[in-house]
Each structure stands twice: as structure tokens, then as C-alpha cells.
Amino acid sequence: MMENGISLYPGLDNTLAENLQLIEDAAACGIRRIFTSLHIPETDADVLKKELAIILAAAREREMEIISDISPRTLEMLDMQEFSLTAFKELGIGTLRLDYGYETSQIAELSHNELGIRLQLNASTITEQILAELQAAGTDFSHIDALHNFYPRKGTGLSEKALCRKNALLKAAGIKVGAFVPSHGRQRGPLFEGLPTLEAHRLWQTDRAARHLAALGIDSVFLSDSLPLPEEMQAVGSLRADEVVVEAKLWTDDAVQRKLLQHHFTAREDEARDAIRAQESRGLLRGTIAPENNKERRRGAITLDNQDYLRYMGELQIVKKSQPADKRVNVAGQIAECELFMLKYITPGRKFSFKLLD
């Protein structure tokens, strides 16, 4: 499973009781990370200082990792006289995201701390030069990961191309990367227009945006808004690493076919021109597939070869190029029109599965 998270903003939109309940609900969904920002200008600093220790203690009780976005302004907000890893450790913060104001030499030094505090880079602003400087300074990358920004203002989020370019730089250095998806629950102020990493995700269903990030190879997905819906936390908590999950409508009531479609598959290495072929499906078949729904196979059709295809019975395909009806091939389901774009991520050797709807 992926190490996914929620976001908490003491001193902003939620009451203390709401934040404590959010921690409990997220933990129940299998979410094990919490992102919090300790330098947002709109934060009520008095409320932050009053509630932060309580919130962090509740997270520690559930063994959740706390990631705090910090800048030099954080010291002022927390009444710290100077930057101190020990002070952050005593608060229960396990990872510091160094947003701005920190030199590469300082990051390199901090990466060798003996307190077990991990560091997090800003994935959205990373460059080849910064990585080269960190490497030259002797940074211990085993104690570092990266997290993209989120973007409150419409039109300022990243493109998919930009995100993938930054991810490639980081992953080449062995650094895991996280990103944010917005919620359709209580959105965070002051703009209340969602907090996506990718601009395309701003109005998307949260589940689809999260699955898209997983398909792009993101290692951790964070719900960015103040109070996500229960179903959004369940979706993020159940994401699987490096797997493409696509929403599909089932077109069969046959128990044998339905059970087969619930498995996780691997796209064959010998990529077909007209379809994505599952590597394991024939071996996973238990029972006999009788002919049904032998209709035209349009793009996105999920097909299963029936008993008339002899030893190919159980062959699962996702159609990339429309094909005529064949009495030996059942159309067992159809990828949702709005998710056909996800098929391009199911490349040879890639894991995939279906979010099945009746």
C-alpha cells in the first residue's frame, strides 16, 4: 500500500474537535501520514500554539507520521528563539518540509541529524542544479523525500508534463515523491477553491485525481483540503502503489466472470497493437465462461474470451482499437468514457485493476 495522508491546519478552518475526529477517521481508513503547514499567513497564531501539541499527540497515539511545512516565519509563529531540531522532535514532528529560506549546505547538514527527523524537499521547485548542490554537499538522501506544492489560486497548478519532469529528476536520485489532491468536503480558506498539485485536478472527483497520481507513479497522495469527505479518505487510504486503477461498468451477472475481473493484473510485455492483454487472467480463471454479450468491441471495452475460444478461454483484454463482434469474445464491461485517458498509463509490465460499478 502507499503511504498516503491528510492535511491539518490548526488556526484556520476547523475546530479542534473536528481536527481530532479527522485524525481518528483517517487512521481508520489506513492513512498514516499528516501534512501540516506552520507558516500560512492567514493562520491564527494564538490558536495554532494552543492546539498544535494536542493535535500532534493525537496523531502520535495512532502512529501517524507528522510532516510540517516550515519556513523562517515558523519560528515566529511558534515563539522559537532559534531553529532547533530538538524542539520540533519534542513536539512530535517527524518530518520537516523545507519550503524556502534554507540553503543546500544547511539541508545537507540537517540530513545527518541523530534525532531521526526526516527532511522533505519541495518537489515542484526542484532543479538539476539544486540536486547537484545537495549531492556535492554530502546530503544523506536516505533521510529525504519530496512533496509537491498545492495551488490555491485557479490557473496556477502544475501541468502533468511539469510534474513528470520534476518526478524524473527526483526518482533518478532515489527520492520518493508525493503530491496533493483537492477535496469536495470543506475546502481550505482563504480562497476555498481547492488545493490541487495538478491544475487539471481542481474540479475532478477526488478518487479519480488520486488514482491518476498513482498512475503517474506518485509514491504518496495527500488530501489537501481542511475536512475531506469519508469516501474521499477511504479512496486515498486504499490506493495501491504503482498501479493503474480504472473505473468500469460491469455488463455481466455471471459469477465466474465477475470474480475474475476483481483480480489485479499485469499488462503483457509483448504489447498488442489493438488491446491491452492481461498476463495472468487465464491462469486465474476458475470455472467456465459461457458465451454472452458478443457485441462490437469499442475502445475501452473489457473483454473475456469464452469457451468457444478453446485454450484462450479467460483471456482478458482492454480494447484500444475498436473491433467487430466475435461470438468467441464476451464484452464483460466498459471503461468509463471520462477515464479512457488512463489507458495510456497501462504500459507493458504495469499493474492494473478495475474499480467496478454495477
Side-chain angles (χ1 to χ4, degrees), residues 40-306:
I40 298 172
E42 294 82 9
T43 299
D44 185 324
D46 290 335
V47 174
L48 171 67
K49 285 180 279 192
K50 179 180 172 184
E51 297 182 355
L52 184 61
I54 300 170
I55 288 170
L56 296 182
R60 287 198 304 274
E61 286 179 9
R62 290 161 182 81
E63 300 182 342
M64 300 174 82
E65 176 192 2
I66 307 297
I67 301 164
S68 290
D69 199 21
I70 64 169
S71 71
R73 187 172 183 271
T74 301
L75 306 185
E76 177 186 343
M77 293 184 71
L78 296 181
D79 291 333
M80 288 184 180
Q81 299 302 311
E82 59 183 4
F83 183 91
S84 167
L85 285 183
T86 301
F88 287 114
K89 178 74 171 180
E90 289 174 352
L91 278 171
I93 294 171
T95 300
L96 296 177
R97 183 174 186 262
L98 306 176
D99 197 17
Y100 66 90
Y102 298 95
E103 301 293 331
T104 51
S105 58
Q106 186 178 9
I107 295 171
E109 181 181 353
L110 292 172
S111 73
H112 293 279
N113 75 84
E114 297 179 352
L115 297 174
I117 290 182
R118 294 180 56 80
L119 303 179
Q120 198 167 73
L121 304 176
N122 186 330
S124 300
T125 59
I126 202 71
T127 64
E128 288 185 31
Q129 181 180 344
I130 292 172
L131 283 173
E133 290 175 359
L134 287 169
Q135 290 168 338
T139 304
D140 184 352
F141 286 110
S142 69
H143 294 158
I144 286 180
D145 68 1
L147 181 61
H148 281 281
N149 285 338
F150 51 59
Y151 295 90
R153 188 189 185 282
K154 285 185 178 180
T156 61
L158 300 183
S159 68
E160 180 177 322
K161 182 178 179 180
L163 178 133
C164 291
R165 186 171 63 247
K166 300 294 186 180
N167 289 358
L169 284 175
L170 291 158
K171 294 201 172 218
I175 299 171
K176 290 185 176 182
V177 188
F180 291 94
V181 292
S183 165
H184 296 284
R186 179 181 298 161
Q187 295 186 315
R188 204 204 73 184
L191 299 182
F192 306 101
E193 293 179 338
L195 301 170
T197 290
L198 289 182
E199 184 60 36
H201 288 170
R202 193 173 298 275
L203 299 178
W204 278 25
Q205 177 187 344
T206 300
D207 168 57
R208 181 172 297 125
R211 288 185 286 109
H212 183 214
L213 287 181
L216 291 172
I218 286 290
D219 300 294
S220 297
V221 174
F222 289 80
L223 286 155
S224 53
D225 279 300
S226 294
L227 198 60
L229 301 170
E231 58 267 28
E232 293 171 340
M233 286 190 283
Q234 290 167 3
V236 168
S238 62
L239 282 176
R240 296 173 65 94
D242 200 30
E243 181 178 73
V244 184
V245 182
V246 286
E247 186 177 291
K249 177 77 173 176
L250 273 173
W251 283 357
T252 179
D253 292 323
D254 177 58
V256 172
Q257 295 178 72
R258 291 172 72 96
K259 186 171 183 179
L260 181 56
L261 292 172
Q262 291 169 9
H263 286 281
H264 300 266
F265 305 99
T266 309
R268 285 179 55 144
E269 291 287 354
D270 51 340
E271 183 178 14
R273 183 194 65 174
D274 297 339
I276 297 164
R277 301 178 68 194
Q279 182 175 294
E280 310 89 343
S281 59
R282 280 184 270 169
L284 292 170
L285 177 64
R286 299 294 181 268
T288 299
I289 298 178
E292 67 168 8
N293 294 334
N294 309 125
K295 58 181 72 176
E296 179 188 4
R297 294 162 284 169
R298 58 189 178 91
R299 184 168 178 257
I302 302 168
T303 68
L304 291 170
D305 290 355
N306 62 48

Side-chain angles (χ1 to χ4, degrees), residues 335-354:
I335 303 297
E337 190 74 25
C338 57
E339 299 217 353
L340 288 175
F341 77 97
M342 294 277 276
L343 299 186
K344 66 185 177 184
Y345 306 117
I346 309 178
T347 50
R350 195 81 191 272
K351 296 287 185 184
F352 70 93
S353 63
F354 304 110

